[in-house]
Amino acid sequence: MLLDSTPGNQAEKDGPPNISVQSSYMIDDAKTKLEMACPHTVSCADIITFAARDVVTMSGGPRWNVLKGRKDGRISKAAETINLPAPTFNVTQLIQSFAKRGIGAKDLVALSGGHTLGFSHCSSFEARLHNFSSAHDTDPSMNSEFAQKLRKKCPKPNRDHNAGEFLDSTLSTFDNDYYRRLMAGKGVFGSDQALAGDYRTRWIVEAFAKDQSLCFKEFTASMVKLGNVGVIENGEVRLKCRVVN
Ligand code: HEM
């Protein structure tokens, strides 16, 4: 995720779904300080896992213990981003995509709560706003006032490639507002909104919308699980996060 593209290789961070991945300079700063304090010890994979935990805690969310000792990979391919779940996925596709990584439906709903923070470009949700289907111009699962607001932000044609919307109304606060918005038809992505419309996940969305401490507890447990997905044994501790040693 952190490796830069090279003349012969387009790296994962430059794959189409990673349009927002630009801030790895913060990881570079942390790495420089760690290399001075404790050379060749803390991997970039561990740093990014700490950073994910810290941004949640600093935004008012829970804190948890990060397991350490991950190694960094040596291969990064943009083509592999095809394996990421897409914002157009339905619940069956989301469940399958997470199951491939050994993560269940409750984790899927808990982790989607990460969308209480951050921003999305129009390209990730504009298909819900214009010519959605032969019967509906706009996705009928979207609240109509919310759809109108998003259509203004993302008109068709849209010449501003940076345009988009924040994923939740409390943009830099980690809370359970995301789930309350799903219940009101105000999810930005089709994949988010689908969680509130399917019997397998709706009851979990309802429970998290009602109870923030339950939502924090489950998010924490699921983040620990996610942090154990794809951990490699034959890696290295990179000296610089953007290039292999
Ligand atoms: C369930 C499957 C998921 C899908 C389909 C999905 C999809 C997306 C998409 C399309 C974007 C916006 C990209 C853009 O247009 O700039 C996004 C942003 C984001 N996602 Fe997800 N995501 C998923 C799971 C997660 C998980 C598990 C987390 C964290 C626990 C997460 C955290 C975020 C955050 C924080 C942003 C905002 C990034 C920013 O502001 O730069 N997402 N996601």
Side-chain angles (χ1 to χ4, degrees):
M1 188 69 184
L2 296 169
L3 288 171
D4 279 344
S5 293
T6 57
N9 181 56
Q10 198 186 14
E12 192 178 337
K13 70 166 130 181
D14 294 325
N18 289 331
I19 184 170
S20 282
V21 179
Q22 291 151 357
S23 308
S24 45
Y25 64 89
M26 282 192 238
I27 305 287
D28 296 336
D29 287 354
K31 180 65 176 169
T32 305
K33 290 195 176 113
L34 279 163
E35 282 302 313
M36 282 193 298
C38 210
H40 213 187
T41 307
V42 184
S43 67
C44 300
D46 276 353
I47 296 174
I48 208 166
T49 314
F50 280 118
R53 190 270 315 271
D54 288 348
V55 79
V56 168
T57 312
M58 288 160 78
S59 313
R63 187 179 170 80
W64 62 93
N65 237 342
V66 169
L67 293 174
K68 306 151 198 76
R70 292 171 192 78
K71 289 283 168 28
D72 296 317
R74 297 185 183 86
I75 298 167
S76 177
K77 296 211 171 294
E80 285 185 6
T81 55
I82 197 146
N83 298 321
L84 288 172
T88 50
F89 272 15
N90 60 33
V91 170
T92 300
Q93 292 169 310
L94 288 168
I95 288 177
Q96 279 169 359
S97 170
F98 277 61
K100 271 193 241 157
R101 295 159 174 91
I103 298 184
K106 190 163 66 154
D107 301 298
L108 158 67
V109 180
L111 290 168
S112 296
H115 290 161
T116 180
L117 298 176
F119 173 87
S120 171
H121 296 84
C122 294
S123 55
S124 301
F125 58 86
E126 64 196 357
R128 304 183 70 202
L129 306 174
H130 313 277
N131 302 328
F132 177 71
S133 68
S134 53
H136 301 279
D137 194 33
T138 306
D139 184 343
S141 69
M142 189 183 278
N143 170 288
S144 52
E145 275 166 36
F146 186 56
Q148 230 174 341
K149 182 181 158 197
L150 292 187
R151 282 164 73 107
K152 276 194 194 133
K153 297 226 163 167
C154 304
K156 198 182 167 194
N158 184 2
R159 287 181 225 297
D160 179 1
H161 293 295
N162 292 320
E165 176 60 316
F166 292 100
L167 294 175
D168 145 335
S169 51
T170 54
L171 25 130
S172 49
T173 307
F174 193 98
D175 56 18
N176 66 341
D177 192 49
Y178 163 82
Y179 297 102
R180 289 197 293 269
R181 290 175 67 79
L182 294 190
M183 302 288 295
K186 293 180 179 173
V188 174
F189 303 134
S191 54
D192 288 332
Q193 196 55 55
L195 299 175
D198 187 291
Y199 72 97
R200 288 166 291 181
T201 46
R202 185 177 174 87
W203 63 278
I204 314 173
V205 172
E206 279 171 355
F208 291 167
K210 272 194 213 125
D211 185 345
Q212 178 159 282
S213 57
L214 174 69
C215 147
F216 281 12
K217 190 175 134 243
E218 295 296 341
F219 182 79
T220 299
S222 300
M223 281 298 278
V224 173
K225 268 195 203 172
L226 187 63
N228 289 334
V229 172
V231 173
I232 52 169
E233 281 168 21
N234 297 325
E236 59 185 17
V237 173
R238 265 183 234 146
L239 296 174
K240 289 199 168 145
C241 294
R242 290 169 183 275
V243 284
V244 294
N245 290 343

